[in-house]
Amino acid sequence: MRPLVATIDLAAIRHNYALAKRCAPGRQAFAVVKANAYGHGVREVVAALGEVADGFAVACLEEAAEVRAVLPHGRLLLLEGCFATDELPEAARLGLDLVVQDAAQLDALLATPLAQPLNVWLKLDSGMHRLGLGADAVRQAFARLRQAPQVGELNLLSHFACADERGHALTEQQVEQFLALLDLEFDQRSLANSAAVLTIPAAHMDWLRPGIMLYGATPFAELSAAELGLRPAMSLTAQLIAVREVAAGESVGYGASWVAARPSRIGTVSCGYADGYPRHAPSGTPVLIHGTRVPLAGRVSMDMLSVDLSDLPQAQVGDAVELWGAQLAVDEVAQAAGTIGYELLTQVTARVPRRYRG
């Protein structure tokens, strides 16, 4: 078997969910498990949180069906709503909480008889300008939906654009836009993503929506997961499968982009971009061997990458290599590669086996 595995610590995910709840006493929280629980395995994560989570949130009907296979009951929020009218009966059958984010979704809902009413979340575009209705359209939709037989609870939801940049002026404007609609008697309200859960108490409302924080990565550039009290959930671990000596002036890897400035010892690691490791990670991006950071050397290949072992003479074939995880934060690797932890976690491909503990 190829020596590469993503070990998922389910106890860490439970810890991080509990931390989200402690940030906002008395509030409820949808655990966001879209995109295969950010690459961690949706069925296993839902099973691990099933006894403690107030609800879950997903992006599409297919993801909702997968959660329902594990969790027959309980609240399950469809974050983007239904993409076609013929999905609405299935949403009702699955007992979903349904986002309505535009006029077409609103009209489709009101025109479709359903076997049971759904909890509906009107989505306000408070400044993100991605999905959602303007404030006036929310007021009009509220009036149309309040007595509709398709609707159980009628709730309000919005999403922050810049909550991960502390003190950004747009965040305060978005909170104000949201609060300005609360003269309408919504049953429940939800605004806070991970960044707002952690740092914006005014946004906590009735329901939190923790996402990236559940998996032990930080939404902030300047605050680490450890500083926030989060525990990393995924450790991506490979192995040194070859070691060779390279003379000064010799190159390593595709494109000969890395050239040894001194006699160097180069290790080959059993992980590449087909596994989800970022191809654009530059030379110098750290991996961890024997608890020591060593730098990438040259371009990441499809199935392998190379590291410079010159300053770690004890490293040898068969040694474990942590690409990110318990000792090397995924956010540090992401920063070196010019991206964010979200992308690295969600891009770990299906060919990497997941092993679960805790």
Side-chain angles (χ1 to χ4, degrees), residues 132-326:
L133 299 155
D136 289 343
V138 167
R139 290 184 179 278
Q140 292 162 16
F142 180 91
R144 292 177 67 191
L145 290 171
R146 190 25 115 190
Q147 302 303 325
Q150 295 91 337
V151 179
E153 285 182 9
L154 184 53
N155 305 320
L156 181 66
L157 170 147
S158 192
H159 191 64
F160 283 118
C162 303
D164 56 323
E165 299 176 44
R166 289 186 297 164
H168 197 291
L170 181 56
T171 301
E172 191 173 335
Q173 292 170 30
Q174 289 192 261
V175 173
E176 288 170 1
Q177 286 250 346
F178 196 90
L179 294 175
L181 285 170
L182 297 190
D183 59 301
L184 300 174
E185 292 188 7
F186 287 103
D187 297 303
Q188 306 280 324
R189 296 149 289 267
S190 179
L191 182 55
N193 58 0
S194 289
V197 169
L198 291 161
T199 60
I200 310 173
H204 287 166
M205 308 297 165
D206 303 297
W207 281 84
L208 316 170
R209 302 195 308 276
I212 192 64
M213 69 179 293
L214 295 180
Y215 308 101
T218 178
F220 303 104
E222 79 289 358
L223 269 179
S224 73
E227 288 171 316
L228 293 165
L230 300 169
R231 284 168 47 187
M234 180 193 290
S235 290
L236 185 64
T237 311
Q239 198 177 90
L240 275 177
I241 58 172
V243 175
R244 72 195 60 248
E245 306 292 334
V246 171
E250 291 287 308
S251 64
V252 170
Y254 284 120
S257 61
W258 187 92
V259 177
R262 56 177 174 166
S264 299
R265 196 161 172 263
I266 299 298
T268 303
V269 178
S270 56
C271 182
Y273 62 77
D275 303 301
Y277 195 89
R279 183 181 178 275
H280 54 271
S283 294
T285 300
V287 307
L288 203 75
I289 303 173
H290 293 302
T292 300
R293 283 164 170 73
V294 299
L296 256 60
R299 285 189 198 161
V300 175
S301 302
M302 184 181 286
D303 312 300
M304 291 169 276
L305 53 83
S306 297
V307 294
D308 184 357
L309 301 173
S310 303
D311 295 326
L312 194 68
Q314 69 269 38
Q316 58 187 345
V317 170
D319 285 351
V321 181
E322 184 175 291
L323 286 314
W324 63 70

